[in-house]
Short mmCIF file of all heavy atoms in Angstrom, two decimals:
data_model
loop_
_atom_site.label_atom_id
_atom_site.label_comp_id
_atom_site.label_asym_id
_atom_site.label_seq_id
_atom_site.Cartn_x
_atom_site.Cartn_y
_atom_site.Cartn_z
N THR B 168 -16.66 -3.13 15.88
CA THR B 168 -16.98 -2.01 16.77
C THR B 168 -18.48 -1.98 17.01
O THR B 168 -19.22 -2.81 16.49
CB THR B 168 -16.58 -0.65 16.15
OG1 THR B 168 -17.46 -0.38 15.07
CG2 THR B 168 -15.15 -0.63 15.68
N GLN B 169 -18.91 -0.98 17.78
CA GLN B 169 -20.34 -0.83 18.07
C GLN B 169 -21.10 -0.10 16.97
O GLN B 169 -22.30 0.12 17.07
CB GLN B 169 -20.50 0.00 19.35
CG GLN B 169 -19.98 -0.68 20.58
CD GLN B 169 -21.05 -0.74 21.64
OE1 GLN B 169 -22.22 -0.54 21.37
NE2 GLN B 169 -20.65 -1.03 22.86
N LEU B 170 -20.40 0.32 15.91
CA LEU B 170 -21.04 1.13 14.87
C LEU B 170 -22.06 0.31 14.07
O LEU B 170 -21.77 -0.77 13.59
CB LEU B 170 -19.97 1.69 13.92
CG LEU B 170 -20.40 2.84 13.03
CD1 LEU B 170 -20.63 4.11 13.86
CD2 LEU B 170 -19.34 3.12 11.97
N LEU B 171 -23.27 0.85 13.95
CA LEU B 171 -24.31 0.18 13.18
C LEU B 171 -24.24 0.63 11.72
O LEU B 171 -23.70 1.70 11.43
CB LEU B 171 -25.69 0.50 13.77
CG LEU B 171 -25.88 0.07 15.24
CD1 LEU B 171 -27.20 0.62 15.80
CD2 LEU B 171 -25.83 -1.45 15.36
N PRO B 172 -24.82 -0.16 10.80
CA PRO B 172 -24.70 0.17 9.38
C PRO B 172 -25.27 1.54 9.00
O PRO B 172 -24.84 2.14 8.01
CB PRO B 172 -25.50 -0.93 8.68
CG PRO B 172 -25.58 -2.04 9.66
CD PRO B 172 -25.50 -1.45 11.03
N ASN B 173 -26.24 2.04 9.77
CA ASN B 173 -26.83 3.34 9.40
C ASN B 173 -26.18 4.50 10.15
O ASN B 173 -26.68 5.62 10.12
CB ASN B 173 -28.34 3.32 9.67
CG ASN B 173 -28.66 3.19 11.15
OD1 ASN B 173 -27.83 2.72 11.92
ND2 ASN B 173 -29.85 3.59 11.53
N GLU B 174 -25.04 4.24 10.82
CA GLU B 174 -24.43 5.27 11.66
C GLU B 174 -23.09 5.77 11.12
O GLU B 174 -22.40 5.07 10.39
CB GLU B 174 -24.19 4.71 13.07
CG GLU B 174 -25.45 4.50 13.87
CD GLU B 174 -25.14 3.98 15.27
OE1 GLU B 174 -24.23 3.14 15.41
OE2 GLU B 174 -25.81 4.44 16.21
N ILE B 175 -22.74 6.97 11.56
CA ILE B 175 -21.42 7.53 11.24
C ILE B 175 -20.86 8.17 12.52
O ILE B 175 -21.60 8.76 13.30
CB ILE B 175 -21.52 8.58 10.10
CG1 ILE B 175 -20.13 9.18 9.80
CG2 ILE B 175 -22.52 9.68 10.42
CD1 ILE B 175 -20.10 10.09 8.59
N VAL B 176 -19.55 8.01 12.72
CA VAL B 176 -18.87 8.72 13.81
C VAL B 176 -18.61 10.14 13.28
O VAL B 176 -17.99 10.31 12.23
CB VAL B 176 -17.53 8.06 14.18
CG1 VAL B 176 -16.81 8.87 15.26
CG2 VAL B 176 -17.74 6.63 14.64
N THR B 177 -19.14 11.14 13.98
CA THR B 177 -18.97 12.50 13.47
C THR B 177 -17.87 13.27 14.20
O THR B 177 -17.24 14.14 13.61
CB THR B 177 -20.28 13.31 13.62
OG1 THR B 177 -20.68 13.28 14.99
CG2 THR B 177 -21.36 12.75 12.73
N GLN B 178 -17.65 12.94 15.47
CA GLN B 178 -16.78 13.79 16.27
C GLN B 178 -16.08 12.99 17.36
O GLN B 178 -16.62 12.03 17.89
CB GLN B 178 -17.68 14.82 16.94
CG GLN B 178 -17.02 16.11 17.25
CD GLN B 178 -18.10 17.12 17.60
OE1 GLN B 178 -18.94 16.86 18.46
NE2 GLN B 178 -18.09 18.24 16.93
N ILE B 179 -14.89 13.46 17.70
CA ILE B 179 -14.16 12.89 18.82
C ILE B 179 -13.96 14.02 19.81
O ILE B 179 -13.45 15.08 19.45
CB ILE B 179 -12.79 12.34 18.37
CG1 ILE B 179 -13.02 11.20 17.37
CG2 ILE B 179 -11.96 11.85 19.54
CD1 ILE B 179 -12.38 11.42 16.06
N GLU B 180 -14.40 13.78 21.03
CA GLU B 180 -14.32 14.82 22.05
C GLU B 180 -13.25 14.43 23.07
O GLU B 180 -13.29 13.33 23.61
CB GLU B 180 -15.70 14.93 22.71
CG GLU B 180 -15.80 16.01 23.74
CD GLU B 180 -17.24 16.10 24.29
OE1 GLU B 180 -18.21 15.92 23.51
OE2 GLU B 180 -17.37 16.33 25.49
N LEU B 181 -12.30 15.34 23.31
CA LEU B 181 -11.26 15.07 24.30
C LEU B 181 -11.40 16.08 25.44
O LEU B 181 -11.23 17.28 25.22
CB LEU B 181 -9.87 15.20 23.67
CG LEU B 181 -9.55 14.30 22.47
CD1 LEU B 181 -8.15 14.59 21.95
CD2 LEU B 181 -9.67 12.82 22.84
N PRO B 182 -11.69 15.59 26.65
CA PRO B 182 -11.77 16.53 27.78
C PRO B 182 -10.38 17.04 28.16
O PRO B 182 -9.41 16.27 28.13
CB PRO B 182 -12.36 15.67 28.90
CG PRO B 182 -12.11 14.26 28.52
CD PRO B 182 -11.99 14.21 27.03
N LEU B 183 -10.26 18.33 28.49
CA LEU B 183 -8.95 18.87 28.89
C LEU B 183 -8.51 18.20 30.19
O LEU B 183 -9.33 17.85 31.03
CB LEU B 183 -9.04 20.38 29.11
CG LEU B 183 -9.25 21.25 27.88
CD1 LEU B 183 -9.04 22.72 28.25
CD2 LEU B 183 -8.32 20.90 26.74
N ILE B 184 -7.19 18.04 30.33
CA ILE B 184 -6.67 17.39 31.53
C ILE B 184 -5.73 18.35 32.25
O ILE B 184 -5.32 19.36 31.68
CB ILE B 184 -5.91 16.09 31.20
CG1 ILE B 184 -4.80 16.36 30.17
CG2 ILE B 184 -6.87 15.02 30.70
CD1 ILE B 184 -3.85 15.20 30.01
N SER B 185 -5.40 18.02 33.48
CA SER B 185 -4.48 18.84 34.28
C SER B 185 -3.17 19.07 33.51
O SER B 185 -2.64 18.15 32.87
CB SER B 185 -4.18 18.10 35.58
OG SER B 185 -2.90 18.47 36.06
N ASP B 186 -2.65 20.29 33.58
CA ASP B 186 -1.40 20.55 32.86
C ASP B 186 -0.19 19.96 33.58
O ASP B 186 0.94 20.10 33.14
CB ASP B 186 -1.22 22.06 32.59
CG ASP B 186 -1.18 22.87 33.87
OD1 ASP B 186 -1.22 22.25 34.96
OD2 ASP B 186 -1.13 24.11 33.78
N LYS B 187 -0.43 19.27 34.67
CA LYS B 187 0.68 18.60 35.38
C LYS B 187 1.04 17.27 34.69
O LYS B 187 2.09 16.71 34.93
CB LYS B 187 0.26 18.31 36.83
CG LYS B 187 -0.06 19.58 37.61
CD LYS B 187 0.72 19.61 38.91
CE LYS B 187 0.68 20.96 39.58
NZ LYS B 187 -0.67 21.49 39.82
N PHE B 188 0.16 16.78 33.85
CA PHE B 188 0.45 15.52 33.14
C PHE B 188 1.57 15.72 32.12
O PHE B 188 1.58 16.72 31.40
CB PHE B 188 -0.79 15.05 32.37
CG PHE B 188 -1.73 14.19 33.18
CD1 PHE B 188 -2.98 14.67 33.54
CD2 PHE B 188 -1.38 12.90 33.54
CE1 PHE B 188 -3.87 13.88 34.26
CE2 PHE B 188 -2.26 12.10 34.26
CZ PHE B 188 -3.50 12.59 34.62
N ILE B 189 2.47 14.76 32.09
CA ILE B 189 3.39 14.71 30.96
C ILE B 189 3.21 13.35 30.30
O ILE B 189 2.77 12.39 30.95
CB ILE B 189 4.86 14.94 31.36
CG1 ILE B 189 5.24 14.02 32.52
CG2 ILE B 189 5.10 16.39 31.73
CD1 ILE B 189 6.70 14.06 32.84
N GLY B 190 3.50 13.27 29.02
CA GLY B 190 3.22 12.00 28.36
C GLY B 190 4.09 11.76 27.14
O GLY B 190 4.84 12.63 26.71
N ASP B 191 3.98 10.56 26.61
CA ASP B 191 4.76 10.22 25.42
C ASP B 191 4.08 9.07 24.67
O ASP B 191 3.21 8.39 25.20
CB ASP B 191 6.18 9.82 25.83
CG ASP B 191 7.19 10.07 24.71
OD1 ASP B 191 6.76 10.45 23.59
OD2 ASP B 191 8.39 9.90 24.93
N PHE B 192 4.50 8.92 23.42
CA PHE B 192 3.98 7.85 22.57
C PHE B 192 5.17 7.13 21.96
O PHE B 192 6.13 7.76 21.52
CB PHE B 192 3.12 8.44 21.45
CG PHE B 192 2.66 7.43 20.43
CD1 PHE B 192 1.59 6.58 20.73
CD2 PHE B 192 3.27 7.33 19.20
CE1 PHE B 192 1.16 5.65 19.80
CE2 PHE B 192 2.85 6.39 18.26
CZ PHE B 192 1.78 5.55 18.57
N TYR B 193 5.11 5.82 21.98
CA TYR B 193 6.19 5.05 21.39
C TYR B 193 5.62 4.08 20.37
O TYR B 193 4.61 3.43 20.61
CB TYR B 193 6.94 4.27 22.48
CG TYR B 193 8.09 3.47 21.93
CD1 TYR B 193 9.36 4.01 21.82
CD2 TYR B 193 7.88 2.17 21.46
CE1 TYR B 193 10.41 3.27 21.30
CE2 TYR B 193 8.91 1.43 20.93
CZ TYR B 193 10.18 1.98 20.85
OH TYR B 193 11.20 1.25 20.31
N LYS B 194 6.26 4.01 19.22
CA LYS B 194 5.82 3.08 18.18
C LYS B 194 7.02 2.27 17.71
O LYS B 194 8.06 2.83 17.39
CB LYS B 194 5.24 3.86 17.01
CG LYS B 194 5.08 3.04 15.72
CD LYS B 194 4.34 3.82 14.64
CE LYS B 194 4.34 3.05 13.33
NZ LYS B 194 3.39 3.59 12.36
N LEU B 195 6.83 0.97 17.70
CA LEU B 195 7.87 0.13 17.11
C LEU B 195 7.29 -0.52 15.86
O LEU B 195 6.26 -1.19 15.92
CB LEU B 195 8.29 -0.96 18.10
CG LEU B 195 9.35 -1.91 17.53
CD1 LEU B 195 10.73 -1.30 17.62
CD2 LEU B 195 9.34 -3.25 18.24
N GLY B 196 7.94 -0.28 14.73
CA GLY B 196 7.54 -0.94 13.48
C GLY B 196 8.77 -1.58 12.90
O GLY B 196 9.87 -1.47 13.46
N ARG B 197 8.61 -2.24 11.76
CA ARG B 197 9.79 -2.89 11.17
C ARG B 197 10.72 -1.87 10.54
O ARG B 197 11.89 -2.12 10.32
CB ARG B 197 9.35 -3.93 10.15
CG ARG B 197 8.82 -5.14 10.87
CD ARG B 197 8.84 -6.38 10.02
NE ARG B 197 8.40 -7.51 10.84
CZ ARG B 197 7.69 -8.52 10.40
NH1 ARG B 197 7.34 -8.58 9.15
NH2 ARG B 197 7.34 -9.49 11.21
N ARG B 198 10.13 -0.72 10.14
CA ARG B 198 10.98 0.39 9.74
C ARG B 198 10.26 1.66 10.14
O ARG B 198 9.16 1.61 10.67
CB ARG B 198 11.30 0.34 8.25
CG ARG B 198 10.09 0.37 7.35
CD ARG B 198 10.50 0.11 5.91
NE ARG B 198 9.37 -0.24 5.08
CZ ARG B 198 8.75 0.60 4.27
NH1 ARG B 198 9.13 1.86 4.21
NH2 ARG B 198 7.75 0.21 3.53
N ARG B 199 10.90 2.82 9.86
CA ARG B 199 10.36 4.04 10.43
C ARG B 199 9.02 4.44 9.80
O ARG B 199 8.09 4.80 10.51
CB ARG B 199 11.37 5.18 10.25
CG ARG B 199 10.96 6.40 11.04
CD ARG B 199 12.06 7.43 11.05
NE ARG B 199 11.67 8.55 10.22
CZ ARG B 199 12.33 9.68 10.19
NH1 ARG B 199 13.40 9.85 10.90
NH2 ARG B 199 11.91 10.65 9.41
N ALA B 200 8.94 4.39 8.50
CA ALA B 200 7.73 4.88 7.84
C ALA B 200 6.94 3.73 7.23
O ALA B 200 7.46 2.64 7.00
CB ALA B 200 8.11 5.87 6.75
N VAL B 201 5.69 4.01 6.92
CA VAL B 201 4.78 3.08 6.25
C VAL B 201 4.88 1.66 6.78
O VAL B 201 4.82 0.71 6.01
CB VAL B 201 4.97 3.04 4.71
CG1 VAL B 201 3.62 3.00 4.02
CG2 VAL B 201 5.75 4.19 4.19
N SER B 202 5.05 1.52 8.08
CA SER B 202 5.12 0.15 8.57
C SER B 202 3.91 -0.11 9.46
O SER B 202 3.43 0.79 10.12
CB SER B 202 6.41 -0.07 9.35
OG SER B 202 6.44 0.79 10.47
N ILE B 203 3.45 -1.33 9.44
CA ILE B 203 2.38 -1.73 10.34
C ILE B 203 3.01 -1.81 11.74
O ILE B 203 4.02 -2.47 11.93
CB ILE B 203 1.84 -3.12 9.96
CG1 ILE B 203 1.42 -3.19 8.50
CG2 ILE B 203 0.70 -3.54 10.90
CD1 ILE B 203 0.21 -2.40 8.13
#
Side-chain angles (χ1 to χ4, degrees):
Chain B
T168 70
Q169 294 235 15
L170 196 69
L171 300 171
N173 65 339
E174 289 182 321
I175 179 173
V176 177
T177 56
Q178 208 167 53
I179 297 122
E180 183 176 323
L181 302 178
L183 291 191
I184 55 168
S185 153
D186 60 4
K187 299 232 168 55
F188 273 111
I189 51 173
D191 206 354
F192 174 79
Y193 181 90
K194 165 173 173 167
L195 178 81
R197 286 201 176 145
R198 58 189 164 100
R199 190 171 108 170
V201 222
S202 61
I203 306 291

